[in-house]
Each structure stands twice: as C-alpha cells, then as structure tokens.
Amino acid sequence: MRMQRELHTSGFRLLRRLLPGAVLLLAAPTVEAQYFGRNKVQYENFHFQVLKTEHFDVLFYPPETEAARHAARMAERWYARLSSVFDHELSGRQPVILYASAAEFQQTNAILGTLGEGTGGVTEALRRRIVLPTGGTLADLDHVLGHELVHAFQYDITGSGRPNSLGALPAASQLPLWFIEGMAEYMSIGPVAPHTAMWMRGALADTTKDSLPSYSQLEDPRYFPYRYGHAFLAWIAGRWGDHVMGQLLRGAGRRRDVTAALQRVLNANPDTLVARWHAETRAQYDPLKSATAPPEAFSTRLIAAKGDGRYNVAPALSPDGDEMMFLSDRGLFSIDLFLADARTGKVKRQVTKTAVDPHFQSLQFIQSA
C-alpha cells in the first residue's frame, strides 16, 4: 500500500478483481476482447529483459537495470519473511513487471483498464503478475513491492494454486477490502505507520460523532480500507502474533467469510474485538489531545473546498510572503496549479491546465518522482 495510496478510495483496487488480458484474448472474439490493450496511449516501446532469482522472474527494460537488481533483492527478502509468516510457498515462479516511472507504468497493457496516479502497484488475481513503477525512493519501492507480494500470497493461498489456470478467481478477490488491503499494509509496513496514526488521530479528534467504525462499518467506503483495516489488523497481530494473519486468511478463504474466521481463529465475537480496539486506541491517543489544538484555534482558513473539489494541497509561499501557489482539483478535470493572495486566499489565476495542455500528462501531486 505512502501518499501514493492515501488520497484515493478503494475504487482503483477493483482493478485487482479483473481478469488478466491473456485470458480475455483466449475467449470468443468479442468487441471487448479485440479492444483490450488499445485504450491506452503508449508513447514508448519497452524492450523487456528477464532477471531470474530463486523465486522470481523480474521483467525490466535497460534504463532501469539497477532498480531491477534492487527490486530483485527486496523481493527475495520479502519472500523469506512472508513465506515464513504465512507458512506457505508460492506455487510456480512469481512474475514482477517493473516500469521506470508512473507515466510509463500507466502505459502497461498487462493490466486491463486505466491506472490512476494513486495506483502504486497492481497484482492480478488470476495469473498473479505484480506490476509496479520503480520511480521514487528505495523505501517506496520496498513498501509497494512487499504490499503487492502479500496479495500474491493471498491469491495463491485462497486459489487453486495454479497461477496460469483458467479457473475461478481466488477467494481473496471476494473478501472485504479492509481485510485484504489492511493485511497487505500491516505485513508490508508493520504496526507503526505515520499515515495510519494520522487517520486514527483525525478520527478521534472529530468531536461531532464517534468516527471510529463499528465492525459492520469497516466495509463502508467512507472508511478508507487501507488505514482502518491496517489499524485493526495491527491491533489483532499485536495480541495474537503475526502467524494469526495466515490462519485468518485461510479461514476466511475457505468460506469466503471473514466474520466466521475471526470467531473461529480468535474465539471472540468481531463486535467485541472492535470495541476493544476502539478502547485501546482511545487510551493511546487521548493523552495527545491536551498537547494539541485544532488549526482554527490559532490560524485562519485561506483556501476552502469548492464545489465537488476535495484537494487543496502542497502550498508554497512566494519569497516576499504576499502570494502562494497550491495544487487543487477545483479546475474540475484534473489537479492543477493555482496562484492566490497569501493574506486573503483569493485565487488570482490558474497557472496550469493539464487536461488541455499537450505538454503535461499530470503534475503527480500525490508523490513526485
């Protein structure tokens, strides 16, 4: 799962549930099958090579040779940890397809559909191919690779064990996102994560309502599955140990029922578990309230949400402090750069128009490469 993953809801993760392209091409020649792979503009030709390790086939092209070597070492390190925790060896060799940047990653025809800026990587449910960009820091690469490899284990454990088969999708593709993505986040970054902590503090700071989700609300898209799922499963692992992740996954996969797996493996009612998680989360964060204050207590809001816009991010002051620039989706079609008065917040002009300017593909506002 990382700002690459923070600002998007669970929608783009539905890409995981789609059948891989090779399977569609083997079906009857429908319009959709003939069209597959042609709905993306490909600016470059990628001459892929294969770097083989003990368990992986790492596909890369020459400009990212050094990154591929790093990724291969990371992948084997993750394999050693995850195979031990899950008590499982992946069936067959695990493919990993690397792209040198987010822009090149978005051109891939290994994944059906378009890939948004918030997609840090994708793992197919059927053929188990992991596809991701390497642009960014080594820490980013390590986290995303670990996260996606958890999905590979989830699919293999709850599937047929034949990554190239034409059988049904593995059970993991039908389990709640908070469970699948929360587990991938916990297994790839551990129990302590600044972004998850930020979401939990924000939830507890909301005095208008009890904004920590109940057990049934964990499936509500209002509660970001990466963060809330991560927090809940990290709490569970902190009490029962990491090995319980594999037990819960197998139990949920057999009946496609996370609730039954929690009851059977942990011998506790899920509602009771969530209530205990709420209580211990409040006990952990409540002492911070006396040392903090809401922004409105010491500052003035300059830029507010407008219409359907959700993002006003990354402000930067001019040297004289009179003006500021910030990124926003108030332009409707894309994230763009705006210039505003730093004292009043009045927007003076829109600096970029990425939706209509051929010189821009995007501003990569979530995380620049």
Side-chain angles (χ1 to χ4, degrees):
M1 269 18 178
R2 301 270 77 76
M3 286 304 291
Q4 272 183 303
R5 301 177 182 278
E6 303 313 307
L7 297 179
H8 281 248
T9 59
S10 61
F12 68 82
R13 280 296 165 192
L14 295 179
L15 286 171
R16 299 184 181 287
R17 316 297 186 245
L18 299 175
L19 295 176
V23 173
L24 293 178
L25 290 173
L26 289 173
T30 62
V31 173
E32 290 80 3
Q34 294 173 355
Y35 188 69
F36 172 73
R38 299 179 186 177
N39 59 336
K40 298 180 184 179
V41 176
Q42 292 184 302
Y43 305 97
E44 302 178 46
N45 292 319
F46 304 108
H47 302 288
F48 280 98
Q49 301 175 10
V50 180
L51 173 60
K52 290 184 177 293
T53 68
E54 182 179 356
H55 300 99
F56 294 86
D57 291 333
V58 181
L59 283 76
F60 69 100
Y61 42 95
E64 54 176 359
T65 300
E66 189 61 30
R69 294 194 183 105
H70 287 300
R73 285 192 290 268
M74 292 174 183
E76 286 293 348
R77 185 172 61 206
W78 277 118
Y79 189 97
R81 165 167 163 69
L82 296 176
S83 61
S84 174
V85 172
F86 286 128
D87 190 22
H88 180 80
E89 299 287 333
L90 290 178
S91 57
R93 297 183 61 77
Q94 175 61 47
V96 176
I97 305 174
L98 301 178
Y99 288 86
S101 69
E104 293 178 348
F105 166 60
Q106 290 166 12
Q107 298 175 51
T108 184
N109 57 13
I111 301 297
L112 178 65
T114 58
L115 300 171
E117 251 186 65
T119 307
V122 178
T123 305
E124 292 180 306
L126 196 56
R127 295 185 66 185
R128 245 181 40 217
R129 291 182 295 186
I130 294 173
V131 190
L132 73 157
T134 61
T137 67
L138 288 176
D140 294 331
L141 176 60
D142 190 49
H143 168 224
V144 176
L145 188 57
H147 181 108
E148 299 303 330
L149 191 54
V150 172
H151 289 318
F153 273 89
Q154 290 170 335
Y155 293 147
D156 199 54
I157 289 171
T158 65
S160 65
R162 298 188 300 275
N164 293 315
S165 75
L166 300 179
L169 287 170
S173 65
Q174 302 171 38
L175 298 178
L177 280 175
W178 72 262
F179 181 74
I180 293 299
E181 298 296 354
M183 183 182 295
E185 281 293 83
Y186 172 70
M187 297 300 295
S188 60
I189 57 179
V192 180
H195 288 144
T196 296
M198 177 182 70
W199 278 71
M200 296 303 105
R201 290 197 305 269
L204 294 172
D206 187 350
T207 58
T208 61
K209 60 183 183 301
D210 186 358
S211 55
L212 286 176
S214 66
Y215 178 71
S216 62
Q217 288 174 327
L218 284 170
E219 294 193 50
D220 189 322
R222 292 181 301 163
Y223 297 96
F224 191 36
Y226 288 78
R227 304 278 66 84
Y228 288 98
H230 173 220
F232 182 42
L233 290 177
W235 177 82
I236 288 176
R239 279 140 192 82
W240 281 273
D242 285 356
H243 67 280
V244 80
M245 294 293 107
Q247 296 174 11
L248 288 173
L249 179 62
R250 287 180 175 85
R254 277 193 292 269
R255 298 185 180 180
R256 289 169 170 74
D257 188 342
V258 174
T259 300
L262 288 169
Q263 292 174 326
R264 185 167 56 256
V265 174
L266 305 182
N267 194 30
N269 180 278
D271 291 319
T272 301
L273 290 172
V274 168
R276 289 175 57 191
W277 167 52
H278 286 187
E280 294 189 26
T281 301
R282 291 190 185 93
Q284 180 180 3
Y285 288 110
D286 278 351
L288 297 175
K289 291 183 179 179
S290 60
T292 60
E296 292 77 8
F298 53 85
S299 61
T300 301
R301 183 186 296 274
L302 291 178
I303 305 294
K306 178 182 178 182
D308 294 330
R310 295 179 296 167
Y311 305 136
N312 295 294
V313 296
L317 285 172
S318 63
D320 60 10
D322 291 336
E323 296 177 317
M324 69 173 181
M325 282 188 172
F326 66 100
L327 298 173
S328 175
D329 61 348
R330 62 180 50 215
L332 184 61
F333 294 111
S334 59
I335 292 288
D336 279 300
L337 188 63
F338 292 82
L339 176 70
D341 187 297
R343 291 181 172 82
T344 66
K346 181 180 179 180
V347 175
K348 294 184 174 181
R349 66 187 176 93
Q350 181 175 339
V351 180
T352 65
K353 296 182 179 180
T354 59
V356 296
D357 190 334
H359 295 92
F360 288 100
Q361 179 170 343
S362 73
L363 295 180
Q364 297 208 321
F365 75 102
I366 296 179
Q367 183 169 349
S368 175

